[in-house]
Amino acid sequence: MPYASPSAGLPPQMALHTGRAVFTEAYAVIPRECMRDIVTSYLPHWRESRVWIIARPLSGFSETFSQYVVEVAPGGGSERPEINPDAEGVLFVVAGSVTVTVEGQTHHLKEGSYAFLPPGSHWTLANRTTESARFHWIRKRYEKVDGIDLPPAFVSSDQDEPIRWMPDTRDTWGTTRFVEPSDPRHDMHVNIVTLEPGAVIPFEETHVMEHGLYVLQGKAVYRLNRDWVEVEAGDFMWLRAFCPQACYAGPERFRYLLYKDVNRHAKLPF
């Protein structure tokens, strides 16, 4: 199953300057054609690697998470990938393969592989192949709760987890869940949402969760606040809490990687 990833490179000088990028008070859209070489960055203690930082906490906007697309060349990786001991993470591989070692246990992650990394865990990552690899890295400061244990590290994959179809949708709208929604140890979910051709999210979801939505496959028309926006594989949508959203899927299967913060009290400012 192919997954989209950034376009990289640079457009030709004669390309028309008519893009779809937008940043509003309630949402942002970063189209795939904006994820070029010139907007990449580099991280401390990573070698032969670069990142597209497509979300970061911003005061007054989306405040709970950051999301990177990381590209690691052959021989690249890190022995100190995470420098914040309070940060939990999820890795989702979209191209190539990497070797991740968590607390001494080694895992070989390929396209579609998913890894959860609890805060304070010791892990490393290496590309031991001859091809570059790309993966999403979603980070959140874990919110500890007295009497609730930290969730353990685990590895899974898109191929191994079933799609759980929404009721009364004739198996056209569903979610691949890597964590049980009722597990209070987890304060974020990173799932994959699937809509078959012509399927819809039939109401304007309006909720407290912030969202990052990276389109892995297909195209759709997505409702964001007051606007209907056409999106395709490789695009990223970034939603504030309570931003209304709905969707009409396009002519082929539409899938996206979805972040949301869950299972915690709303923070109070006093």
Side-chain angles (χ1 to χ4, degrees), residues 74-87:
S78 178
E79 281 71 52
R80 296 178 60 189
E82 178 58 79
I83 61 175
N84 185 340
D86 296 325

Side-chain angles (χ1 to χ4, degrees), residues 199-248:
V200 300
I201 298 176
F203 70 105
E204 294 179 343
E205 293 187 35
T206 306
H207 49 60
V208 71
M209 287 88 78
E210 299 177 344
H211 275 346
L213 296 85
Y214 187 91
V215 182
L216 298 170
Q217 180 183 355
K219 64 179 291 186
V221 180
Y222 216 92
R223 176 65 180 263
L224 298 170
N225 200 19
R226 306 177 186 90
D227 309 315
W228 286 98
V229 179
E230 191 174 22
V231 293
E232 64 177 350
D235 291 351
F236 180 69
M237 292 171 276
W238 188 12
L239 282 61
R240 287 185 68 173
F242 301 109
C243 176
Q245 58 173 305
C247 179
Y248 283 87

Side-chain angles (χ1 to χ4, degrees), residues 65-134:
F65 76 109
S66 65
Q67 184 163 346
Y68 308 157
V69 182
V70 185
E71 182 180 79
V72 183
S78 178
E79 281 71 52
R80 296 178 60 189
E82 178 58 79
I83 61 175
N84 185 340
D86 296 325
E88 59 186 323
V90 162
L91 309 181
F92 182 77
V93 181
V94 293
S97 62
V98 294
T99 299
V100 174
T101 301
V102 188
E103 304 296 353
Q105 186 171 359
T106 297
H107 306 274
H108 299 289
L109 306 185
K110 59 182 181 179
E111 292 180 16
S113 292
Y114 178 110
F116 172 74
L117 305 162
S121 59
H122 181 264
W123 60 282
T124 63
L125 185 145
N127 181 353
R128 297 173 181 168
T129 75
T130 58
E131 303 290 336
S132 291
R134 288 180 174 180

Side-chain angles (χ1 to χ4, degrees), residues 148-190:
I148 296 179
D149 294 333
L150 287 176
F154 69 88
V155 170
S156 185
S157 77
D158 184 18
Q159 293 78 16
D160 292 339
E161 296 293 335
I163 298 175
R164 303 187 190 186
W165 299 106
M166 300 291 185
D168 303 320
T169 65
R170 294 177 293 177
D171 294 354
T172 60
W173 170 28
T175 304
T176 304
R177 299 173 181 167
F178 300 97
V179 171
E180 285 299 322
S182 60
D183 186 345
R185 296 176 300 175
H186 288 274
D187 68 349
M188 74 169 177
H189 291 164
V190 179

